[in-house]
Amino acid sequence: MPLCVKSPVNAKSSSVLRCHPFAAQLTLKYKTFETAEELFEYYSNLLKSATLNQELNEYEFNMVCALLKAGHYAAEEKQGGGVRKVHVCTHPEHSSRCFMLTRKDGSQVNQ
């Protein structure tokens, strides 16, 4: 089953969705996912159900950070000096929900 993440095509292009296979199971922090579809559904439901602009609770925060570390091509860049909190917001350019990270230095970046 693939794990799909956005990754750049080249230095001048925007990100595209790329899929990477993972074993029969993938454990992220507290939860084991049997399929990529199960993983996608979990995080999609979290995005849909979270109250906009409200900080995620500790469990959700840890799950989002685990996904960032395991599946984002620019995880280190996104984390910067560390992540202090995560909330769900509407992406300013795409009008869709996204996870917004607030770093320990107070700067923000979407995941």
Side-chain angles (χ1 to χ4, degrees):
M1 286 292 143
L3 172 61
C4 297
V5 294
K6 286 190 173 185
S7 56
V9 176
N10 60 48
K12 295 183 180 182
S13 72
S14 61
S15 296
V16 297
L17 196 62
R18 297 208 187 272
C19 296
H20 307 281
F22 66 85
Q25 295 181 334
L26 177 66
T27 299
L28 294 177
K29 201 64 176 174
Y30 314 112
K31 186 164 176 52
T32 298
F33 300 95
E34 299 295 330
T35 66
E37 291 80 9
E38 183 182 347
L39 180 142
F40 180 81
E41 184 177 334
Y42 175 83
Y43 286 98
S44 292
N45 288 336
L46 180 55
L47 272 174
K48 292 174 193 172
S49 64
T51 302
L52 285 175
N53 302 314
Q54 181 176 319
E55 187 176 339
L56 298 182
N57 65 39
E58 183 179 359
Y59 181 94
E60 295 162 336
F61 169 86
N62 287 323
M63 289 298 293
V64 170
C65 288
L67 178 65
L68 173 67
K69 290 174 187 172
H72 200 290
Y73 72 95
E76 288 183 28
E77 177 186 330
K78 295 280 185 179
Q79 293 175 91
V83 178
R84 185 174 68 217
K85 63 182 179 179
V86 178
H87 69 275
V88 174
C89 68
T90 303
H91 193 284
E93 295 175 22
H94 306 293
S95 298
S96 61
R97 286 178 168 234
C98 67
F99 294 110
M100 181 65 70
L101 310 175
T102 301
R103 298 180 183 128
K104 291 183 179 178
D105 67 4
S107 62
Q108 292 188 326
V109 63
N110 70 314
Q111 181 174 340

